Amino acid sequence: MSTLIIILVLQTTVYAQETMAINHKGTQVSVRNTVVTTADSAPSDPLQNDIWFDTVADVTKVYNGTIWLTINLDALAKKEDSTNKSTDINLADVTNTKFPTELAVKTYVDTELAALVDDDITNVSFDGTLLRVDEGTTNFSANLSALEESADITANTALINNHIAADDDLSATNELQNAAEVSIEDTAGNYTATNVEAALAELATAPGKNIYSDNGTLNDNRDITQSNFDLNFDSNTLVISGDDDRIGIGTASPSTKLDVNGTTRIRTLPAGAGSDELVTVDTNGNLKKLPISSMETKTSIAQNTGTGVITHNSEDGTSQAVNLVSTNTNNSISVGSDGGAYYNSPIKAYGILIPASNTYNASGISSAVKNGTGRYTFTMSTPRSSADYPIQLSLLETGSDRINIYVTAQTTTTFSFSIIKEGSTFLTYSYVDRTCYFTILDF
């Protein structure tokens, strides 16, 4: 058994406006201005200004002849953009479509407030019924008789008027108290008076405290306005000029911000830096600053690397040459490749051989080999220019034997020698070990 399910898709079309009109030929025709469609998909073949209620996106759209525009979103996106924004600070544009900017509104309000003339209130009166306020040349009044408490206001007005006249009656229902009628109690003992008026009289006749006769302590910051008058302490010891904002020490007429007529001492100064500036004094005693670089001596030193001569050029235009290497005959010191003095020592290697401890101590020697008793070969650290170089040998003999030392071989990198003890005959000569010394020369 099979079941056939039929799904019906309903689309509702409403003609928002359909009218009859006569065209230019005199024929009566039906004119449809707008089609309103409620559906989950866009209508086919829409005309400009057609309206579609999209039931899927739940938005309203209008066809502009090309695409469907979403009213809900597009309208919000285009609200108050640069097209309908007004920057008129006078709000003089006669329009209901443009929105003024925040700055335009602020400028307009500030201008209007500045143009207002604020007269001070000159008088306020109340006769029990009318409250009148006078402000400059204008006034306004308000009738308060209809207020619920108007009877109380009238009664209070009478009481206040009664309190104005003083007759020494201090009852609560009579007049306000004056200074002589207000009692005081001074527990600190500053006054002997018992009312305000008498206490004020004591204060007026009491000797005042001031900086000339009494010491004191400031409890807060104080500002003093000199009004172009000078403060002079102890005959020019310190003068504060009020008309040109200057301070003088030892002078009544300071010519600079700080004018000192006398010696000056600074007890503590922080350490300076190479980028600081120097303080100088002109012929009038005015302090000025000067860059340290301006005090540097403009001199130069140059060296000829070929001859080693150093030339000093002074800032006054004079120069002086100094020979780094003497030009005397047979001078063993020459000029090096960098222009400095160079001594090429003829001694290339030297040392001592101690067979008893099988050790040696030498300079310019990289290794030593014992070939047998009394026979040794040394290797030099650097090769000689040729195999014909002088070798100086000597030995230590503490006994009475006749000991000889001979060079047996030499190359540019090694040399060998033997130590021989003489016998009674040639056949009795023998190799022996002895402490010996060597020196290798090269030119």
Side-chain angles (χ1 to χ4, degrees), residues 163-239:
H163 280 298
I164 294 177
D167 56 4
D168 295 331
D169 183 356
L170 303 182
S171 63
T173 58
N174 200 33
E175 76 281 343
L176 297 177
Q177 296 175 339
N178 56 29
E181 298 170 337
V182 177
S183 300
I184 61 173
E185 181 179 354
D186 181 18
T187 58
N190 296 313
Y191 307 101
T192 59
T194 58
N195 60 72
V196 173
E197 185 173 359
L200 292 175
E202 287 187 24
L203 179 63
T205 58
K209 292 186 177 182
N210 54 68
I211 62 174
Y212 304 105
S213 59
D214 299 278
N215 296 324
T217 301
L218 286 177
N219 297 319
D220 203 346
N221 297 326
R222 295 291 182 264
D223 294 330
I224 298 176
T225 302
Q226 294 182 232
S227 301
N228 295 330
F229 294 103
D230 296 345
L231 284 176
N232 192 318
F233 296 88
D234 194 20
S235 299
N236 303 336
T237 297
L238 176 64
V239 175

Side-chain angles (χ1 to χ4, degrees), residues 365 376-378 380 389 391 409-410 413-417 438 440:
I365 298 299
Y376 297 90
T377 298
F378 285 83
M380 293 174 286
Y389 51 88
I391 302 177
Q410 68 182 87
T413 57
T414 64
F415 65 92
S416 302
F417 59 84
F438 59 87
I440 307 300

Side-chain angles (χ1 to χ4, degrees), residues 29-92:
V29 294
S30 177
V31 178
R32 186 187 69 184
N33 290 332
T34 302
V35 175
V36 179
T37 303
T38 302
D40 57 359
S41 59
S44 58
D45 300 328
L47 298 178
Q48 185 174 0
N49 297 329
D50 281 359
I51 299 175
W52 167 36
F53 295 104
D54 188 345
T55 59
V56 175
D58 197 20
V59 294
T60 303
K61 300 181 179 180
V62 178
Y63 191 71
N64 67 352
T66 303
I67 60 174
W68 289 96
L69 298 177
T70 301
I71 295 177
N72 308 64
L73 300 179
D74 293 349
L76 291 175
K78 292 182 178 180
K79 181 182 71 173
E80 298 184 17
D81 57 11
S82 59
T83 302
N84 57 12
K85 178 178 67 177
S86 173
T87 60
D88 177 22
I89 62 174
N90 297 318
L91 301 183

Side-chain angles (χ1 to χ4, degrees), residues 80-145:
E80 298 184 17
D81 57 11
S82 59
T83 302
N84 57 12
K85 178 178 67 177
S86 173
T87 60
D88 177 22
I89 62 174
N90 297 318
L91 301 183
D93 294 339
V94 183
T95 175
N96 287 324
T97 59
K98 291 189 175 183
F99 298 89
T101 64
E102 179 181 349
L103 178 59
V105 174
K106 180 182 182 303
T107 304
Y108 175 79
V109 173
D110 290 344
T111 302
E112 290 298 315
L113 290 176
L116 295 177
V117 178
D118 185 15
D119 292 335
D120 292 335
I121 296 176
T122 57
N123 183 55
V124 177
S125 61
F126 180 64
D127 60 2
T129 301
L130 294 179
L131 174 63
R132 172 172 171 159
V133 178
D134 295 319
E135 182 178 7
T137 59
T138 61
N139 64 81
F140 68 90
S141 61
N143 190 337
L144 304 182
S145 60

Side-chain angles (χ1 to χ4, degrees), residues 17-33:
Q17 182 177 355
E18 184 173 3
T19 59
M20 302 300 295
I22 299 176
N23 62 14
H24 65 284
K25 295 182 179 182
T27 304
Q28 186 177 20
V29 294
S30 177
V31 178
R32 186 187 69 184
N33 290 332

